[in-house]
Amino acid sequence: RAKEAGKGVYAVYDRGMHTEFNERVVIEKHLRSALDNEEFELFYQPQVDLLTGAISGFEALIRWNSPVLGFVSPLSFIKIAEDSRLIIPIGEWVLRKACHFMSGLCQQKNNCYKIAVNISVIQLLQDDFIETVLNVLSESGISPGCLELEITETVFIESFERIVGKLEYLKMQGIRIALDDFGTGYSSLSYLQQLPITTLKMDKAFIDPLSDDSYSQSFIRTMVSLGHEMGLEVVAEGVEDSSQLVILEEAGCDKVQGYLFSRPLSQRNTQELMRRHKLD
Ligand code: C2E
Ligand code: MG
Ligand code: MG
Ligand code: MG
């Protein structure tokens, strides 16, 4: 075909398409057995409370070490897991694992830490999603206020009515709901007001330019005020250096998460960190 068209670009384009397609097929194939083969692991990234300076919670982040493909980033496999619906059992595993781990940690430290879990729209649309969440809570023994479900704005674009009702119910049970990657989606401000959420998680894209751009600094201050005006907790993600931190503190941001404090840690390293971590 490339020869017919007389242009090399077509051949390159075609090959690119095939490669991407094959990669998806290969990833999906190996994803199918990954859960049974115990190839997933959860990492935990601390969130620091800017008022106390102490760790107040963690975000659970999935890691996949495939014996065939090696380490595969969630950025490469979550979408495929969603399209193949494998995200349903995988997501349930994440939720259960994270809640049980946090339950143990809270008991050990005699303190309540928040555990934030990323939830896909595919999971939310399941008829038994609420039941699953409530079951995991009672099994693990953590209180609803310790669990935060992280969702993105796309969730509302896909199926507003069905999802708002479910989240409203979960929020009424005391479970926290964070709007993840806030600012990167398409929601208008009027839309934001209708969402049953407790937390705004400002995307890293707004944090990155903070140290050398005064426009982005006033932008952040406005986002934080807006969140507080709406009664929400405001969290910054992807905080990498101390000059960003200073600006976030001045802006009144509640919590920060990022490489400045810690990368996501294995379960063992999280336990090790917490053994050393003193309560104020
Ligand atoms: P996210 O939920 O927005 O998670 C934040 C991502 O930023 C994580 O990437 C984290 O490792 C990374 N990060 C945190 N601090 C910094 C920093 O200071 N600098 C930089 N450069 N990066 C930082 P990760 O773990 O690769 O996850 C990527 C995305 O994959 C997540 O974005 C989330 O959308 C998705 N994901 C991860 N785990 C799960 C899961 O269990 N379920 C679902 N549905 N999605 C997940
Ligand atoms: Mg997240
Ligand atoms: Mg995020
Ligand atoms: Mg993100």
Side-chain angles (χ1 to χ4, degrees):
R1 246 177 304 147
K3 211 175 187 177
E4 283 164 32
K7 286 214 171 110
V9 278
Y10 288 102
V12 173
Y13 181 69
D14 261 10
R15 217 181 300 134
M17 296 277 283
H18 282 302
T19 309
E20 198 181 302
F21 176 74
N22 285 336
E23 198 179 271
R24 285 183 68 88
V25 170
V26 169
I27 288 179
E28 185 180 327
K29 173 175 172 245
H30 294 289
L31 261 185
R32 290 201 176 276
S33 51
L35 203 52
D36 284 344
N37 294 345
E38 299 180 18
E39 292 164 15
F40 294 117
E41 194 182 345
L42 278 193
F43 272 47
Y44 300 90
Q45 188 176 36
Q47 285 184 0
V48 174
D49 186 319
L50 288 183
L51 218 54
T52 63
I55 292 174
S56 56
F58 301 86
E59 179 178 14
L61 294 157
I62 195 168
R63 296 290 176 263
W64 178 25
N65 187 7
S66 158
V68 182
L69 306 172
F71 284 100
V72 187
S73 162
L75 295 171
S76 318
F77 74 80
I78 291 292
K79 183 74 179 63
I80 297 169
E82 288 178 333
D83 294 344
S84 58
R85 305 183 69 75
L86 287 165
I87 196 67
I88 296 165
I90 295 172
E92 187 173 337
W93 176 85
V94 170
L95 183 68
R96 184 164 282 116
K97 180 87 181 161
C99 288
H100 278 90
F101 174 61
M102 209 40 55
S103 166
L105 196 68
C106 292
Q107 273 171 28
Q108 191 188 311
K109 301 291 285 186
N110 197 19
N111 188 35
C112 173
Y113 294 103
K114 183 184 82 182
I115 180 70
V117 179
N118 294 286
I119 302 290
S120 155
V121 63
I122 310 289
Q123 290 173 270
L124 275 167
L125 286 170
Q126 287 300 292
D127 284 335
D128 62 355
F129 179 70
I130 289 177
E131 197 185 324
T132 302
V133 172
L134 298 180
N135 279 343
V136 170
L137 275 185
S138 64
E139 261 170 36
S140 64
I142 66 169
S143 60
C146 291
L147 176 62
E148 186 164 85
L149 306 178
E150 290 197 4
I151 53 164
T152 56
E153 287 160 81
T154 51
V155 149
F156 297 104
I157 293 161
E158 299 210 12
S159 197
F160 191 82
E161 298 299 333
R162 288 185 66 191
I163 284 178
V164 163
K166 286 191 189 189
L167 292 175
E168 236 151 34
Y169 181 82
L170 290 167
K171 192 182 153 198
M172 265 168 16
Q173 305 302 305
I175 295 164
R176 307 184 56 82
I177 316 279
L179 193 56
D180 200 357
D181 304 336
F182 175 66
T184 61
Y186 301 96
S187 326
S188 69
L189 292 179
S190 65
Y191 194 50
L192 189 64
Q193 239 179 339
Q194 303 171 46
L195 306 182
I197 55 174
T198 57
T199 309
L200 270 192
K201 214 167 171 189
M202 300 185 291
D203 194 73
K204 184 178 183 297
F206 298 100
I207 312 305
D208 286 337
L210 275 186
S211 18
D212 38 44
D213 170 1
S214 68
Y215 175 73
S216 67
Q217 295 172 13
S218 47
F219 203 84
I220 278 287
R221 279 195 290 273
T222 308
M223 275 170 91
V224 173
S225 311
L226 174 77
H228 287 166
E229 228 26 83
M230 295 174 63
L232 305 174
E233 177 177 88
V234 181
V235 181
E237 71 177 353
V239 181
E240 292 181 344
D241 63 60
S242 48
S243 59
Q244 294 167 342
L245 179 65
V246 170
I247 295 155
L248 288 163
E249 274 175 326
E250 281 169 2
C253 178
D254 301 298
K255 280 164 189 168
V256 287
Q257 184 184 336
Y259 294 174
L260 175 64
F261 297 97
S262 172
R263 290 187 174 252
L265 303 170
S266 67
Q267 181 169 307
R268 175 194 256 264
N269 286 337
T270 305
Q271 274 163 333
E272 192 48 47
L273 172 77
M274 294 314 282
R275 251 192 289 282
R276 285 182 277 117
H277 188 71
K278 292 218 178 62
L279 295 171
D280 305 40

